[in-house]
Amino acid sequence: MNFPLYVAKRYIFSKSKNNAINIITRIASGGIIVGAMALFVVLSVFSGLREFSLSFSNDFDPDLKANPITGKSFFIAPEQESQIKKIDGIASYSKIIEERVLFTFDGKQLVTYLKGVDKNFANVSKASQKLFNGQWLKPNTYQVVVGYGISEKLSLGLFDFNNPFEVMAPKPGKGNLSLNPEDSFNKSILIPVGIYAISEELDSKYVFADLGLTQELLDYKSNQVSGIEIKTKPNSSESDIISKIEKIFKNKVQVKNRAELNATLHKMLNTENIAIYLIFTLVIIIALFNLIGALIMMVLDKKENLKTLFNLGTEVKDLRKIFLLQGSLLSIFGGIIGLVLGIIIVLIQQKFQLVMITPSLAYPVVFTIENVLIVFATIVSLGFIASLIASSRVSKKLLD
């Protein structure tokens, strides 16, 4: 039998004659349990908030998107479309055009993005399923779908034929703009048939229109687009699809996945996640000072026993190992109990939604094995370091 482990277990489960040591040990164990529980709950809450934040972009952004490396647009030939259709892993794709233009309605003006989409767009993006009011636009018409924020800013309703909803885009070319808007801008009257609601940012950004109408407004050719949005099949290889698409367009386009399209958002969420983890790790480190104190007091309390063991031939390193193992075991048991309590809290919130953000929206939490492993590894590693510091108090000088 491992002698230091045997003694360490005896010290854990046996009470000291000094009641103060027993109290400090309970406080140290409680601190580990509460720290593990709190860290797991906070990480689970942040995972829920992360998933909730990304759900808006996931409803709007495609799995992959091809944009021109230079300029605002590129040409797609029929044979290139045929090659894209043959790529294994692509479920559907949509040709789109995005451009900032001027919208006017009832004396109000707004500069925002016009997004031209083809009939396949509904198969690539969930935007057509996020309608607050009305219906999705029909191909080859002047119908448009506006964001809820744009509708509010312009006081725009649906099927308002008394006040025209106009869009104006600068005519392509070089030189100064003419004082006459008719000479400098292409203009079209649009028919709002739907209002979408996804998130505050996206609701104030896009007006969806037919691809042909957008090409006509911007003086684009029929095969000229500003991007291709792609929906991939489950378990398909993104890297293979990206490589094949870039090869089809002879490396004149850059293909990004959903994470790269929202690089700033992902970077911000990752930074916040790391910051929260470090803050709560600091709290756990402070709590583990109680463990160091409890082990040092245990060393002093068991000084006579240690002397006896030393005189019987036990080496100093084995005596140190007793308290190293005792502290490590306390950290392991405390971490397991804290994780069990944290998992129960998270599962209760998921099932019964006890904590609410709004009357209709529960505080989002997500249970993941990754968070369990992170918390357990953090508690055990920090507990080991704390135990190592405390066990170093056992020395030959102390036993003399």
Side-chain angles (χ1 to χ4, degrees):
M1 177 180 289
N2 190 325
F3 174 70
L5 179 61
Y6 173 76
V7 177
K9 289 191 291 185
R10 289 290 300 271
Y11 282 173
I12 288 176
F13 297 109
S14 62
K15 289 186 178 181
S16 173
K17 295 179 182 179
N18 191 330
N19 197 41
I21 295 178
N22 294 328
I23 294 173
I24 293 175
T25 303
R26 292 192 195 102
I27 293 174
S29 301
I32 295 171
I33 293 171
V34 172
M37 180 184 67
L39 180 58
F40 179 76
V41 170
V42 168
L43 290 179
S44 298
V45 168
F46 189 83
S47 296
L49 290 173
R50 176 190 179 90
E51 190 174 280
F52 180 73
S53 300
L54 292 176
S55 65
F56 299 115
S57 61
N58 292 343
D59 288 339
F60 183 82
D61 292 325
D63 296 328
L64 297 173
K65 185 175 182 180
N67 290 317
I69 293 178
T70 58
K72 290 185 177 182
S73 64
F74 62 96
F75 294 91
I76 175 170
E79 56 269 20
Q80 290 174 320
E81 287 199 59
S82 299
Q83 290 175 333
I84 292 175
K85 292 176 182 177
K86 293 177 182 178
I87 296 177
D88 186 32
I90 292 182
S92 185
Y93 72 94
S94 172
K95 296 177 287 184
I96 60 103
I97 294 176
E98 293 183 27
E99 187 61 71
R100 285 175 65 89
V101 294
L102 173 66
F103 295 95
T104 61
F105 178 78
D106 196 20
K108 297 179 180 179
Q109 296 183 339
L110 179 67
V111 176
T112 190
Y113 283 91
L114 177 69
K115 183 165 184 173
V117 298
D118 62 14
K119 60 183 180 181
N120 292 328
F121 183 74
N123 299 324
V124 174
S125 173
K126 295 181 181 178
S128 60
Q129 304 171 18
K130 301 296 178 179
L131 294 180
F132 172 76
N133 195 9
Q135 63 190 31
W136 189 249
L137 61 93
K138 295 180 180 179
N140 304 316
T141 65
Y142 286 87
Q143 296 179 354
V144 294
V145 174
V146 302
Y148 184 80
I150 295 173
S151 174
E152 280 192 325
K153 291 175 182 177
L154 295 177
S155 301
L156 175 67
L158 302 182
F159 301 102
D160 187 350
F161 298 104
N162 295 322
N163 299 298
F165 180 43
E166 295 183 334
V167 57
M168 299 176 67
K171 291 182 178 180
K174 298 180 180 179
N176 297 325
L177 293 175
S178 171
L179 295 177
N180 185 2
E182 299 292 337
D183 298 331
S184 301
F185 292 89
N186 290 328
K187 185 171 69 172
S188 184
I189 297 178
L190 308 174
I191 305 172
V193 295
I195 299 174
Y196 70 88
I198 300 175
S199 68
E200 184 177 352
E201 179 185 359
L202 294 173
D203 294 349
S204 300
K205 187 174 182 180
Y206 288 106
V207 173
F208 291 98
D210 177 66
L211 181 66
L213 168 63
T214 310
Q215 289 172 330
E216 179 184 338
L217 184 69
L218 299 174
D219 288 338
Y220 277 16
K221 300 289 191 298
S222 60
N223 62 339
Q224 187 176 4
V225 297
S226 66
I228 301 174
E229 297 189 349
I230 299 165
K231 181 177 178 61
T232 59
K233 295 178 181 178
N235 302 320
S236 59
S237 173
E238 284 189 351
S239 58
D240 288 346
I241 295 173
I242 290 172
S243 176
K244 290 176 181 178
I245 292 175
E246 290 179 345
K247 185 178 180 180
I248 289 172
F249 289 95
K250 299 178 180 178
N251 294 319
K252 292 182 180 180
V253 301
Q254 182 182 32
V255 184
K256 294 182 178 181
N257 58 26
R258 185 173 290 163
E260 291 170 334
L261 291 171
N262 296 279
T264 303
L265 177 60
H266 280 266
K267 186 176 181 180
M268 180 189 71
L269 292 174
N270 290 335
T271 303
E272 289 179 352
N273 194 18
I274 293 172
I276 290 172
Y277 170 77
L278 292 176
I279 290 171
F280 273 82
T281 300
L282 179 61
V283 173
I284 293 174
I285 291 173
I286 295 172
L288 286 173
F289 278 111
N290 291 324
L291 177 62
I292 296 174
L295 290 175
I296 291 175
M297 292 190 69
M298 182 72 72
V299 169
L300 298 176
D301 183 61
K302 302 295 183 181
K303 183 177 178 181
E304 296 302 322
N305 294 343
L306 296 176
K307 282 184 178 181
T308 302
L309 293 172
F310 180 69
N311 292 330
L312 290 173
T314 306
E315 296 183 11
V316 174
K317 64 177 184 178
D318 290 328
L319 298 177
R320 288 176 181 167
K321 193 179 292 184
I322 291 172
F323 298 97
L324 176 62
L325 291 171
Q326 182 184 357
S328 299
L329 288 173
L330 282 173
S331 301
I332 292 172
F333 293 149
I336 292 173
I337 295 171
L339 277 170
V340 170
L341 294 175
I343 290 170
I344 291 172
I345 292 173
V346 168
L347 294 179
I348 288 175
Q349 172 64 12
Q350 281 184 329
K351 185 172 181 62
F352 299 104
Q353 301 182 345
L354 300 180
V355 182
M356 306 292 290
I357 298 177
T358 67
S360 60
L361 179 63
Y363 219 99
V365 292
V366 173
F367 170 78
T368 63
I369 296 298
E370 180 183 2
N371 287 338
V372 173
L373 296 177
I374 288 173
V375 173
F376 187 73
T378 301
I379 293 293
V380 172
S381 58
L382 292 178
F384 177 81
I385 294 171
S387 304
L388 189 64
I389 294 171
S391 63
S392 65
R393 296 287 296 175
V394 181
S395 63
K396 191 174 181 181
K397 182 178 179 181
L398 177 71
L399 302 175
D400 289 338

